[in-house]
Amino acid sequence: MTDFKRANLSMTWKLLAIALGAFGFGFALVPLYNVLCSVTGYGDQTKLLQRVKAIEHPDPSRTVTIEFLADVASSGGWDFRPVVRTIEVHPGQIYSAEFIAHNLTGHASTAQAVPNIAPSMVAAYFHKTECFCFSPQHFALNEERKMPVRFIVDPALPKHVDRITLAYTFYDESSRVSSAR
Amino acid sequence: MAEQHAHAAEHDDHDHKPHGWRRWVYATNHKDIGTMYLIFACTMFFIGGAMAMVIRLELFKPGMQFVDPQFFNSMTTMHALMMIFGAVMPAWTGLANWMIPLQVGAPDMALPRLNNFSFWILPFAFTLLLSSLFVPGGAPAGGWTMYPPLVLQNGASFPMLIFSIHLMGASSILGAINVVVTIMNLRAPGMTLLRMPLFVWTWLITAYLLIAVMPVLAGAVTMLLTDHFFGTTFFTAAGGGDPVMFQHIFWFFGHPEVYILILPAFGIVSEIIPTFSRKPLFGYEAMVYATASIAFLSFIVWAHHMFTVGMPLAAQLFFMLSTMLIAIPTGVKVFNWTTTMFRGSLTFEPPMLFAIAFLFLFSIGGFSGLMLAIVPADYQYQDTYFVVAHFHYVLVPGAIFGIMAGVYYWLPKWVGNMYDQTLAKWHFWLSTIFVNVLFFPQHFLGLAGMPRRIPDYAVQFTDWNMVSSIGGFGFGLAQLLFPYLIWKCVKSGERVVGNKAWEGAHGLEWELPSPAPYHSWGTPPSETMIARGAAH
Amino acid sequence: MIRAKMAQFAKLAAALVLSFAGSLPAHAESGWGLLNMTQGVTEISRKIYDLHMEIFWICVIIAVIVFGAMIWSIVTYRKSKGAVADVTLVHNTKVELIWTTIPVVILVFMAVPAARTLVEIEDTTKTDLSIKVTGFQWGWQYDYLDSGVAYFSRLDRKSDAARELMSGIDPTTVDHYLLSVDKPLVVPVGMKVRLLITGADVIHSWWVPAFGVKKDAIPGFVNEAWFKVDTDKPGLYRGQCAELCGRDHGFMPIVVDVRSKADFEAWLKDKAAEQKQAAAPPAAAPDVATAAAAG
Ligand SMILES: [Cu+2]
Ligand SMILES: [Cu+2]
C-alpha cells in the first residue's frame, strides 16, 4: 500500500470515528437533557420522582396556592382525580394531599402516575417525602382507593411564584404506546 | 500522490471505460457517479414535486375534494422527505462528485469504491420509503419532523420510515467522508486551502456538518424505533421520558441540516457571479470565514424551531439572540455578492440569471427568518403558512435555484455541448415568476392565521390559496423544461469550442477540454493553471 | 419614541396597502385583504403586533437599500452598455467592517423590545382564573379548576358534515366553516386567565391569534399560558390547533366566547348546576378517551 492510500484510509477511519461519536452523542443527549434542564432553570422533572428527607422551617408569612391536576392517558379505563383541587400552603411546612383512583378497566391492573409541575422551574423547590408515584400501584378489579402525597415547598422558592400546579398522568400497562387511529 | 497521478495518466489519452450496465453498477469514476446522483436527484425532485401538486390541488379551494386527510398528511410528510433527502442532498453530492476533483486538480474522488456504495444505497432507501405508500395504514403521515408520540401512530410504514432514514443517513455520511478526504488529501500540489474555489470550501464545511449531525438523526430515529418496538420510553412520559426531548435532538440535527442544504448553493453563487461579472469575487476570505461561522452558529440555535413547547425564559432569550447572530455572516455574504457585481461587466446567461434570482429571493427568506427569530412574534408565526413561505423561499429559490444555476453553469463542461440558452431563459423566467406567485401569498396566509399542514381551511383563506396553487402548477410545469433541455443538450447541442464555456470563467475545471475527459488531471495541473484559476 | 413613530408609520403604510388590496375584485367574505397579522384584543397581542411591524419595516428598509444596490449594479454595469470590469476591487477592510458592525447595532435594536415583551409574556403570576386545556384527537377539553365545570369542545356539526370528502356541501354556505365549535371556551373580559395546557394523546398546540397565545399541549406535561382580554372587547375569537396531530388536525378549532364579568359568572353558575344534576351518581367528569371514543 502506498503512503498516499494509507493517508486516505487513516483519514477515513478518523472521520468514521467522528460519525460514530456523533451517533453516541445523540444518545448522550438523553442524560444531558435532564442536566441541562436543571442548569437552565427549566427544572428537572425527574426530581419529582425522588423521595426527599425534609426538615420543617415553616414560613407563615408567605402563602402559595397549590393546584392538583389528574389526567388519565388516552387508553382510559380509570377514574382518577384529586380529593381537593387546591390548597394554600406555607413554604417550609409539610402538607399532605390525596388522590382517588378507581379501576374501571374491567380487570386487575397496575398503573404508574407520572408527575409534572408548572411552572416547571418549581421542580427544584418542590420536595416530596412520600408519593404514590414513587412506585407502580396495583389495583384489583373495580378497586377504588385513596393515595397520599406528602410534600414540602422549599422556603427558597422564588418570590414571584404564587401558584404551583402539581399534575399527575395515570398510565397503566396498556398505555405505553398510544394506539393508532 | 505523484504515483497515483502517474498511474491515471496512462489512461488519459484513450477514454477507455466499461460498457453497458457494468459501467453504472460498478461505477467508480467520479463523473459517472456524479451523473447517477444527479439523475437520481432529478427523479426524486419530480416525484416529490408531484406530491406537492397533490397538496396544492387539494388546497385550491376549501372543502375536501380529492384526498383523505390522512393521505394529505402523507403527502406533506413524503414531499418533505423526498425533496430534502432525495432531491437536494443527492443533487449536491452529485455536483460535488463531478466538480470537486476537477476543481482541486485530483484524478478522482479519494475513495471510489465507497463512492459507488454510498450512491447505490440511495435507490434502495427511497424504494423502501416510497413503497410505504402501498402498505396498510398508508405512508408516514406524522410530518417529516417525526415528532413522537404522533409518529408512533404510523402503522406498517413506521419501521420502513426509520430504516430508510438510516440508509439515507449512511449514504450521506459516507459521501461526506469521501468529500473531506478528497479535499484534504487529493488537492494538486500548489492548490492551497485558500486558493480553493468557494464551491469546494462550502462543500468541505457542509461535509463536516453532515458527519457531525446525520448520526445524531440516526440516533434519534433509533430511539423512536426502540420506543415503538422494544419498550423503551425515551420520549414517553409514561416511563419518565419526554416527547420534547425528541424535538431537541431532532433540531440539533435539523438546523445544521438546513445549512447542509444551502451552503453549497452559497458556493455555486460565489463562482457564478464573478464569472458573469468578469471580476474576482469580492472578499474571498470573508466568504470563507462567514461560511465557517454560519456552520458554527448552526449548532447553537436549534430550539428556535420549538419556541412554543414551553422553555425557560433564559433558554428562549439565548436561542433568540444566537439565531439573530446568523444574520451577520449571512449579511456579509449578500453584501459581498452585491459588491462583486458592482463595477463589473455583467452579462446575463442562464446561470447568472438563476444566481441573481437566488440573491433576491434567498434574501427575502433571510428576512422572514430574522422575523421568526423574534420569540414573541414567533408565537404568532410558529406552525403557520408564514413558516412555510419562509423555508420554501430559502429552499426553492435558494437551494434548488442554486442547483439549477450550477447545472446550467457546468453542463457545457460535462457534455461538451451548449444547451439552448433561449429555452433556459424561458425556464428561468417561468420558474422565477411562478415561484413568487406560489410562495409569496403564503406569507399573507400565515399572518392572517392559517396553520400549516392542514388539508382544508376556512373560507377567508380561499383567494390567496388559489393564487398559490396556480403558482404551484405553473412552477411544476415549468420544471419539465429542465430535463428536456438537458436531454436536448446531450443529443444535439452545439459543440463548445475551447476549454471555457463562459468568457469570464476561472478555475481548474475550465483548464480542461470540453467535455471533460473521462479521466482528468492524471497529470496534475501546473502552477500557472492554478494561479490563473484562483484569480482572487 | 422611535418605536411609536415607527408604529404610526407602519399603520399608515398598512392602511395604504390594505386600501389598495380593497380595490381588487372581491367576492363575498373576500380574503384578498387578509395580508397581515391583526392587532388582537390583549395588551400582549398588541405588543407582539408592534414588534412584528417594527421588524418588518426594518427588513423593508434594509431590503430597499440592498436590493437597490443590486438593481443599480445590474442596470449600470452591463457589458452591453460598455461597462469594463474593475478587477482590482476585491477587498476593502473599511467597508467590510462597516457592514459587519451596522447589523449588530440593528440586531440589538430589535432584541431589546423583544426580550422585554417576552419577559411580560412569561409572567404567569397573579392570575384570576385557572382553566385546564387538554388537547385530544381531535378536540379540546376545558376544565374550570375552581368551579369543577368541565366539558369538551369539538368542531360543530355543520362544518363537520361539509368537510367530508366530496360532501357536496359548499363550505361558503357554512357559517365560519372549520372555525366554529359546539361548545366554546367561555371567559370573562379584564381578568387574567391562566391556562394549564396539556395533551391527552399526541402533541397539539392551542392557538388563538387575537390573544397572542400559542402553546403546545404535550401529553404528560403541563404548560402555562395566560391572556387578559381588554374590557371593551367581549366577543367570539377563533383559532385552531397549530401542531400536526394526526388525521383530523385541520378540524379541531378553538372558539373563545369572551363575556362581561357578570355574564361569565352567571354562565359558570348555570353550567356548574347543570353538570351537578347531569352527573349525579359518579361525580367525576368523563375522562377524555371514553368521551372521544363515544364522539
Ligand atoms: Cu433552524
Ligand atoms: Cu391538534
Side-chain angles (χ1 to χ4, degrees):
Chain A
M1 199 185 320
T2 62
D3 284 354
F4 160 76
K5 278 207 169 150
R6 200 165 294 136
N8 280 357
L9 272 182
S10 86
M11 185 155 197
T12 306
W13 285 115
K14 270 179 212 151
L15 292 168
L16 271 173
I18 295 177
L20 208 68
F23 185 69
F25 179 70
F27 287 87
L29 284 171
V30 176
L32 218 65
Y33 180 68
N34 292 331
V35 174
L36 277 174
C37 279
S38 29
V39 175
T40 57
Y42 182 69
D44 180 356
Q45 301 283 319
T46 57
K47 280 222 177 79
L48 296 172
L49 281 164
Q50 287 156 14
R51 189 188 308 272
V52 174
K53 277 231 168 71
I55 307 143
E56 290 190 275
H57 289 288
D59 173 6
S61 65
R62 200 174 159 200
T63 310
V64 178
T65 307
I66 313 278
E67 280 169 338
F68 300 108
L69 293 188
D71 268 302
V72 179
S74 57
S75 52
W78 294 84
D79 174 21
F80 177 54
R81 62 197 145 86
V83 174
V84 275
R85 281 170 174 269
T86 59
I87 58 170
E88 310 270 307
V89 305
H90 298 304
Q93 190 171 329
I94 293 182
Y95 292 84
S96 64
E98 282 181 315
F99 283 69
I100 298 178
H102 189 181
N103 177 7
L104 303 168
T105 57
H107 49 83
S109 184
T110 303
Q112 167 75 50
V114 176
N116 186 245
I117 207 158
S120 51
M121 44 78 81
V122 172
Y125 305 95
F126 195 90
H127 310 303
K128 292 180 180 169
T129 59
E130 193 187 325
C131 182
F132 57 92
C133 65
F134 289 163
S135 59
Q137 302 285 321
H138 183 78
F139 281 78
L141 171 66
N142 286 331
E143 182 183 349
E144 178 173 10
R145 86 166 173 262
K146 288 184 177 174
M147 303 178 297
V149 50
R150 287 172 64 78
F151 61 89
I152 179 166
V153 175
D154 200 315
L157 180 75
K159 285 278 172 278
H160 64 85
V161 179
D162 60 0
R163 196 174 264 271
I164 295 172
T165 306
L166 179 63
Y168 288 98
T169 313
F170 215 53
Y171 294 91
D172 64 12
E173 303 103 340
S174 66
S175 53
R176 291 273 282 224
V177 175
S178 45
S179 56
R181 284 172 207 235
Chain B
M1 199 180 296
E3 203 173 327
Q4 170 137 351
H5 277 296
H7 175 73
E10 294 162 25
H11 304 287
D12 237 14
D13 308 327
H14 45 107
D15 270 3
H16 83 137
K17 49 192 159 205
H19 289 287
W21 60 272
R22 277 197 179 77
R23 170 170 174 198
W24 304 104
V25 173
Y26 300 127
T28 50
N29 180 291
H30 72 104
K31 298 183 183 81
D32 285 350
I33 293 175
T35 305
M36 290 198 292
Y37 264 112
L38 288 170
I39 291 170
F40 179 81
C42 193
T43 315
M44 294 300 120
F45 177 65
F46 280 98
I47 297 175
M51 291 168 174
M53 296 298 109
V54 174
I55 295 169
R56 282 317 325 167
L57 191 67
E58 183 55 60
L59 291 177
F60 186 76
K61 60 181 202 165
M64 299 300 299
Q65 282 94 29
F66 300 100
V67 297
D68 179 82
Q70 184 73 13
F71 185 75
F72 182 92
N73 290 345
S74 291
M75 285 293 105
T76 54
T77 305
M78 295 288 279
H79 164 72
L81 291 168
M82 300 302 288
M83 288 305 197
I84 294 168
F85 295 103
V88 176
M89 288 169 70
W92 286 135
T93 314
L95 286 167
N97 261 288
W98 249 105
M99 298 317 299
I100 287 174
L102 298 189
Q103 291 193 310
V104 300
D108 203 315
M109 294 294 277
L111 311 155
R113 275 168 214 285
L114 193 70
N115 207 3
N116 173 290
F117 181 58
S118 43
F119 170 76
W120 280 110
I121 292 174
L122 284 179
F124 290 98
F126 282 87
T127 309
L128 183 62
L129 183 61
L130 281 169
S131 57
S132 73
L133 279 164
F134 308 103
V135 301
W144 83 278
T145 46
M146 300 176 281
Y147 284 4
L150 181 61
V151 72
L152 303 173
Q153 294 186 349
N154 280 319
S157 66
F158 175 76
M160 301 168 83
L161 168 70
I162 303 299
F163 287 132
S164 62
I165 296 272
H166 277 146
L167 290 174
M168 298 167 203
S171 163
S172 50
I173 290 165
L174 296 179
I177 288 176
N178 213 340
V179 167
V180 173
V181 178
T182 306
I183 296 174
M184 299 314 282
N185 286 3
L186 252 63
R187 275 172 289 127
M191 177 56 84
T192 58
L193 283 177
L194 281 176
R195 272 176 155 183
M196 296 194 310
L198 264 164
F199 180 65
V200 180
W201 255 117
T202 51
W203 235 114
L204 179 63
I205 292 165
T206 303
Y208 274 116
L209 284 180
L210 276 165
I211 295 168
V213 301
M214 286 308 289
V216 176
L217 174 69
V221 298
T222 306
M223 287 184 248
L224 285 178
L225 194 74
T226 59
D227 267 14
H228 192 291
F229 292 108
F230 304 109
T232 59
T233 53
F234 288 109
F235 308 128
T236 323
D242 184 347
V244 173
M245 183 172 69
F246 176 84
Q247 301 185 19
H248 282 286
I249 303 175
F250 180 86
W251 288 113
F252 182 84
F253 144 81
H255 192 84
E257 169 69 17
V258 304
Y259 291 131
I260 288 165
L261 300 174
I262 200 70
L263 288 183
F266 289 172
I268 283 189
V269 168
S270 304
E271 311 232 343
I272 290 174
I273 291 182
T275 296
F276 297 95
S277 304
R278 291 167 181 75
K279 189 168 155 282
L281 182 69
F282 185 87
Y284 171 88
E285 281 187 37
M287 286 299 218
V288 173
Y289 298 138
T291 312
S293 30
I294 290 173
F296 170 74
L297 285 172
S298 76
F299 285 106
I300 55 164
V301 298
W302 74 87
H304 63 206
H305 295 268
M306 38 190 291
F307 281 138
T308 58
V309 298
M311 272 183 286
L313 178 63
Q316 296 188 66
L317 286 173
F318 171 80
F319 286 110
M320 173 172 86
L321 294 174
S322 60
T323 304
M324 292 171 85
L325 280 183
I326 295 182
I328 295 166
T330 316
V332 165
K333 288 190 155 280
V334 174
F335 300 146
N336 282 358
W337 288 321
T338 309
T339 315
T340 304
M341 297 196 294
F342 177 72
R343 301 227 296 251
S345 172
L346 278 64
T347 53
F348 303 94
E349 288 86 344
M352 181 63 164
L353 289 174
F354 275 99
I356 289 173
F358 171 95
L359 235 59
F360 280 92
L361 302 179
F362 177 79
S363 298
I364 291 179
F367 288 131
S368 55
L370 186 57
M371 296 174 79
L372 282 157
I374 308 295
V375 182
D378 180 81
Y379 287 161
Q380 296 282 43
Y381 308 141
Q382 164 84 18
D383 269 317
T384 69
Y385 260 85
F386 190 79
V387 177
V388 176
H390 158 72
F391 66 71
H392 279 97
Y393 261 88
V394 177
L395 289 176
V396 182
I400 302 275
F401 274 26
I403 292 164
M404 286 173 172
V407 170
Y408 280 130
Y409 186 50
W410 285 313
L411 188 61
K413 174 58 60 190
W414 302 338
V415 180
N417 296 345
M418 183 49 82
Y419 48 87
D420 181 341
Q421 291 202 40
T422 315
L423 203 58
K425 282 179 186 171
W426 272 98
H427 176 217
F428 166 76
W429 283 111
L430 289 173
S431 297
T432 303
I433 290 165
F434 281 122
V435 87
N436 285 293
V437 177
L438 165 56
F439 295 120
F440 207 83
Q442 296 186 355
H443 291 116
F444 305 147
L445 288 169
L447 293 176
M450 180 169 161
R452 65 188 283 207
R453 291 168 162 171
I454 56 173
D456 194 6
Y457 48 80
V459 285
Q460 67 263 36
F461 301 130
T462 309
D463 300 311
W464 289 119
N465 266 301
M466 282 189 176
V467 173
S468 180
S469 287
I470 291 167
F473 304 143
F475 184 80
L477 284 176
Q479 298 324 303
L480 296 173
L481 286 174
F482 189 57
Y484 169 71
L485 252 152
I486 295 170
W487 179 78
K488 204 177 130 193
C489 170
V490 174
K491 282 275 167 217
S492 58
E494 203 181 315
R495 295 299 297 174
V496 174
V497 186
N499 294 350
K500 284 190 181 184
W502 314 106
E503 186 190 41
H506 286 278
L508 285 182
E509 73 267 36
W510 306 110
E511 303 287 341
L512 289 165
S514 310
Y518 194 64
H519 297 287
S520 43
W521 297 134
T523 324
S526 68
E527 175 66 32
T528 28
M529 281 181 186
I530 292 173
R532 193 159 54 212
H536 47 255
Chain C
M1 195 53 213
I2 301 170
R3 271 189 61 203
K5 274 227 180 81
M6 192 90 93
Q8 248 179 355
F9 178 48
K11 263 174 221 154
L12 193 79
L16 270 173
V17 172
L18 289 179
S19 60
F20 165 71
S23 66
L24 288 169
H27 56 77
E29 293 193 295
S30 165
W32 295 116
L34 294 176
L35 300 170
N36 199 0
M37 193 186 281
T38 48
Q39 300 218 13
V41 292
T42 68
E43 202 186 323
I44 293 293
S45 71
R46 275 190 301 276
K47 285 190 173 164
I48 292 177
Y49 173 83
D50 289 344
L51 262 178
H52 158 71
M53 290 315 287
E54 178 193 333
I55 316 152
F56 172 69
W57 287 111
I58 290 175
C59 288
V60 168
I61 293 165
I62 300 172
V64 167
I65 296 169
V66 176
F67 290 174
M70 287 178 194
I71 293 168
W72 188 74
S73 299
I74 291 167
V75 171
T76 315
Y77 303 107
R78 321 177 134 244
K79 197 185 175 206
S80 57
K81 284 173 69 185
V84 180
D86 172 7
V87 291
T88 61
L89 182 65
V90 289
H91 184 60
N92 185 326
T93 313
K94 209 199 264 170
V95 173
E96 289 177 77
L97 261 173
I98 291 173
W99 71 40
T100 322
T101 348
I102 291 180
V104 178
V105 178
I106 298 174
L107 290 183
V108 171
F109 191 72
M110 291 170 153
V112 171
R116 246 188 234 135
T117 309
L118 186 60
V119 170
E120 270 180 66
I121 292 173
E122 290 291 310
D123 177 11
T124 51
T125 59
K126 300 199 183 65
T127 50
D128 304 312
L129 174 67
S130 290
I131 303 171
K132 183 180 158 211
V133 177
T134 311
F136 62 90
Q137 286 172 321
W138 288 272
W140 300 93
Q141 184 187 10
Y142 299 115
D143 194 338
Y144 292 73
L145 291 182
D146 309 306
S147 62
V149 168
Y151 56 91
F152 297 95
S153 175
R154 290 195 188 79
L155 184 66
D156 82 329
R157 276 197 191 183
K158 278 187 187 157
S159 290
D160 202 34
R163 63 106 175 181
E164 286 304 320
L165 189 57
M166 295 182 289
S167 65
I169 304 169
D170 179 1
T172 56
T173 63
V174 179
D175 196 32
H176 291 283
Y177 177 60
L178 298 188
L179 289 180
S180 50
V181 296
D182 51 359
K183 282 177 249 166
L185 172 66
V186 182
V187 295
V189 290
M191 281 170 89
K192 188 165 177 180
V193 179
R194 171 163 166 266
L195 301 179
L196 291 158
I197 303 172
T198 187
D201 31 44
V202 300
I203 303 176
H204 303 265
S205 192
W206 196 87
W207 180 35
V208 174
F211 299 169
V213 173
K214 184 186 288 149
K215 204 67 158 197
D216 291 0
I218 302 164
F221 293 79
V222 176
N223 261 328
E224 286 182 294
W226 66 273
F227 61 86
K228 187 176 176 181
V229 179
D230 299 347
T231 40
D232 59 339
K233 300 266 174 44
L236 290 173
Y237 299 99
R238 296 166 201 278
Q240 280 177 272
C241 174
E243 177 66 53
L244 178 62
C245 57
R247 184 177 183 275
D248 285 352
H249 162 56
F251 309 102
M252 51 181 289
I254 296 152
V255 179
V256 186
D257 180 355
V258 184
R259 303 186 180 186
S260 71
K261 268 176 217 168
D263 280 3
F264 170 74
E265 299 293 349
W267 172 86
L268 194 65
K269 217 168 161 192
D270 279 4
K271 197 82 182 168
E274 182 191 310
Q275 283 198 343
K276 201 163 266 172
Q277 215 173 20
D287 74 81
V288 166
T290 44

